[in-house]
Structures are given as C-alpha cells and as structure tokens.
Amino acid sequence: PCVMAAWDTLPPFSVPGAIPIRRRSGLSPEQTHIEHVVAGGEGLPCVVTDATVGWRARELWSFEFFSREYGDDQLIANDKAPLRRGESTPMQTVRLPLREYVKYLTVRDHWLSQREHGTPFYGNSWTPFLTHEAMRDHVGRMSFVEDLVEDGPLGVLSRKLTKVFFGPPATVTRLHHDTYSLHAWLSQVRGRKQFVLYPKSQAHLLHAGEGECAGECAGEGAGAGEGTCCDAAQSWFDPTAPDYRRFPRARRATPHVAVLEEGDTLFCPAGWFHYAIALSPSITLMRNFFNSANADRFVEGWNAAHSLQTQPQPQPQPRSQTETQSVPTYATPAALEKGGHRREGQAAHHQRRGACSRQQWRYGRCRGGGTSHNPSCESSLGL
C-alpha cells in the first residue's frame, strides 16, 4: 500500500449554485467530441471514471516511489499558481531535489514549511516524460478523446505538455483557463482534488483580466500580459471564498464542480476557466492537447502570443532591398519539438522563422529556430 503524507485532509468546499460535473464511463472519442468537446459551441466538462484502468501508474506511483526512483530530479515549487505579475505578496519559488520535496510532503516541520506565507508549496512543473523513458510505460493514451499531439514527429512537444503535479492539502491553482486554446485532461493518481469550472463565455462575469495589476498592462498591446494577472485568461475571483462585493458579476456565473477520487480523470474543454484545490496529499497527471476542434485556434494563439516577442527590428537598408525583402513576422514553435530555448543571435534566429499552419504542427514540420523562454506563458499551461 502507498504511504501518504501525515497532513490533515480537507472536506470539499461548498460552492454556491454549483452544478455537479457529469461522471461518465465507456466513452468513445466520437461521443466525447459531440457531447463534451463541441457541445453547445464551447464544450462541456466531464469526469471519466475508467480512463486509467490498467495503468501501471495506479499501482506504482506514490511519493515514496518518486523519491526512490527519481529523487535527484530538480523540482520547481511555487506557493502561488499560476504566476501573476504585480501581486501585493509576490510568489515564492524554490528549486530543490524531488527527494527533498517529498520530505516536505511527508515530514512535519520541514524547513520549507517555515517559508510558507499562508499557502503550501506546489510542485506543478515536473515534465518527467522528457527524460525518463521508462515512465512512459506507466501510462497510456486516453482512448476517450481525440488527441493530435502524437509521439513521433511531435514527440518532444507531446512530452512537454504532459506533467506530474505534487502537492499537500490546500494546494491551490487559481482561476484561469489554459493558454493557446488547449484542451486538458487531469487524472488523479493519488489523493483527492476539487475542481470548479466556468464556461469561457462567462469570462466577463468572472472579472477576467481585472485585478491588482490591471493598470500595468494598459497600452501594452493585444499580446500584453500573456500568462499574467493582466491576461484575460486569469481571474482573481476565488469560488471557494467568494467576495461578491469585489466581484459582483460573479454572482451570475455558473460553477461546474467535481471532486476527483483516485482513478478519476477530468476533461476540461479549451477555454474553460478552472480552479483546483487539493483536499489530501495529491499526485495528478495533467496533459494539454489539441485535436480537430481546436488545432487552428492553437496555432493562431501560439503565433499571436509570440509575434510581439520575436518581431525583428527594421534595419536601415537601401530602398531597393527594403522593397523586395520578405521578413517573417511570426514565431514558430519549433523549439518545443527540439526541447531547447533560443541561444543564437536575433538576426539569424528570425531568418529561419515563419508562421506554422495546423498541418505543419500536425505532421511535425515546424522546425528550424527555437523560441524565447516565456515562463509566464508556460505557467498557464495546465494546473
């Protein structure tokens, strides 16, 4: 049996007006597409109870297992997630061996607990499938939903979009939707976790993009604040402690709520806002992905988000050269395929870039240069 941490567990939170998320089993990809991916024009979340049947992870994975087998891996842990700029109390980030983080989860009065400012540290950035080939045998592809980010030509991207999250009770992922119009599924391997979701059409009711630093982004352009509190992908509203004086429109929002037990998988359609809180020591496997319903929006979102970062600066040239030169204006996501960050000079970097189409993404043809590392954007990919 798996020995979990000696932390106090939490009961599920009461969320006013909550609609229980439907629990499903035996879903085919065609059913999921009609009833959950595109239903009502914006999708509908569900909890799939049999998606991980037969996975070795359900037998093997525990804090002790990861400490023993992968304890030397460096883990980044934050006391706030996702990253938000300009908070009154800045986010704390620590980098430590996974083995040491497991001690924090399993030993009372660990040194890291002394650094907490009211919230525990959340290990929500580990991408073990990039480096540990054996772990790929612990899980399987989800059979209930179409996923076009395949191993093969997009193998590195696929592994970057699949993460393992660790956390004690009260670990919170604040209300946001994932960047680049990506779907997500989240499988609860150990512990219990409560989720609160809202349709993307209710962003205005959630006061998305409003908050402590809203004024900082004024005049910064359409791509400003991607992955930060100024981005419309995030909301300061807390559905477990609603402040309707500060967020009056949130009274009219419709929360969809589920508590994931071990073996449950939540499907979150692209654009849906979601909030999560661990109710007990928790291990969650998360994957972002695109399919036929959102591939075009993913490519558009990626190119739009990176165009401002990588737009080449005009250089003085003779008129004849300026008139005939073709300068690529959009970033390509090639570095995700290579798993690296930009290291070459800006000029050479831009000469090899161009916008990626859905077909290029699908068949792994987005190659060439790397992308600039943007941890703000990456922090909004998933929980």
Side-chain angles (χ1 to χ4, degrees):
C2 295
V3 180
M4 302 302 286
W7 290 70
D8 295 330
T9 60
L10 301 175
F13 287 82
S14 176
V15 179
I19 296 176
I21 295 176
R22 185 179 178 186
R23 296 176 66 83
R24 306 295 306 271
S25 63
L27 282 174
S28 68
E30 293 76 18
Q31 281 180 288
T32 302
H33 184 83
I34 294 171
E35 300 176 22
H36 297 285
V37 176
V38 298
E42 59 182 352
L44 187 67
C46 65
V47 174
V48 183
T49 60
D50 58 353
T52 63
V53 172
W55 281 17
R56 295 184 65 206
R58 294 181 60 172
E59 300 177 4
L60 293 176
W61 288 12
S62 67
F63 294 137
E64 292 74 17
F65 169 81
F66 286 118
S67 177
R68 181 179 67 252
E69 299 295 329
Y70 306 107
D72 292 333
D73 277 27
Q74 290 294 304
L75 185 74
I76 296 174
N78 307 298
D79 66 347
K80 299 176 187 290
L83 171 69
R84 289 177 178 173
R85 184 173 59 183
E87 296 190 77
S88 56
T89 303
M91 180 181 76
Q92 295 187 93
T93 298
V94 295
R95 182 187 295 269
L96 70 173
L98 178 54
R99 182 180 295 106
E100 190 66 25
Y101 184 75
V102 169
K103 291 181 182 178
Y104 164 67
L105 295 176
T106 55
V107 177
R108 294 281 187 178
D109 301 320
H110 188 270
W111 62 264
L112 187 56
S113 65
Q114 307 304 314
R115 295 187 55 178
E116 294 177 1
H117 292 162
T119 54
F121 283 85
Y122 189 13
N124 67 334
S125 61
W126 194 41
T127 53
F129 299 97
L130 281 169
T131 53
H132 301 299
E133 189 73 19
M135 282 189 61
R136 300 180 65 199
D137 294 332
H138 299 175
V139 302
R141 298 283 290 188
M142 287 296 178
S143 61
F144 74 91
V145 65
E146 178 192 32
D147 182 344
L148 297 183
V149 192
E150 298 177 349
D151 294 338
L154 294 181
V156 172
L157 172 63
S158 178
R159 299 180 196 187
K160 281 181 68 74
L161 293 178
T162 309
K163 300 179 181 180
V164 178
F165 297 161
F166 305 99
T171 300
V172 168
T173 299
R174 299 178 289 189
L175 193 60
H176 72 289
H177 72 71
D178 293 347
T179 54
Y180 310 128
S181 298
L182 288 166
H183 303 305
W185 56 252
L186 303 103
S187 291
Q188 197 65 21
V189 182
R190 293 286 177 260
R192 305 175 79 212
K193 186 174 284 188
Q194 184 174 12
F195 288 83
V196 185
L197 282 69
Y198 296 87
K200 59 184 177 182
S201 59
Q202 296 187 0
H204 65 293
L205 299 180
L206 300 173
H207 299 256
E210 304 173 17
E212 294 184 14
C213 70
E216 293 184 13
C217 292
E220 291 188 11
E226 181 70 30
T228 72
C229 66
C230 305
D231 181 19
Q234 298 209 37
S235 168
W236 287 90
F237 178 66
D238 182 348
T240 64
D243 184 348
Y244 294 123
R245 294 182 62 183
R246 185 180 178 191
F247 306 102
R249 297 193 300 274
R251 287 186 180 275
R252 294 183 282 130
T254 306
H256 298 245
V257 178
V259 174
L260 293 195
E261 308 289 349
E262 292 183 4
D264 286 345
T265 297
L266 173 69
F267 169 66
C268 180
W272 275 67
F273 286 81
H274 47 282
Y275 172 100
I277 182 167
L279 304 177
S280 63
S282 173
I283 300 175
T284 307
L285 178 66
M286 186 283 301
R287 177 172 172 81
N288 283 117
F289 65 99
F290 58 79
N291 56 25
S292 57
N294 65 328
D296 289 332
R297 284 179 287 141
F298 165 72
V299 173
E300 292 170 4
W302 177 277
N303 285 329
H306 290 75
S307 62
L308 292 180
Q309 299 176 27
T310 58
Q311 179 75 36
Q313 297 299 314
Q315 300 295 324
Q317 299 179 33
R319 181 176 178 81
S320 59
Q321 294 183 19
T322 304
E323 289 176 344
T324 59
Q325 185 181 29
S326 175
V327 180
T329 57
Y330 289 99
T332 65
L336 292 179
E337 171 61 22
K338 291 188 172 184
H341 305 312
R342 180 174 58 192
R343 290 185 173 89
E344 71 274 18
Q346 279 291 94
H349 174 67
H350 286 297
Q351 289 173 4
R352 304 206 312 267
R353 302 182 74 88
C356 281
S357 68
R358 168 181 168 180
Q359 288 74 21
Q360 287 173 312
W361 269 101
R362 176 67 177 84
Y363 296 108
R365 293 172 186 158
C366 278
R367 303 181 186 275
T371 62
S372 59
H373 181 53
N374 190 336
S376 297
C377 291
E378 290 186 1
S379 71
S380 289
L381 286 174
L383 293 175

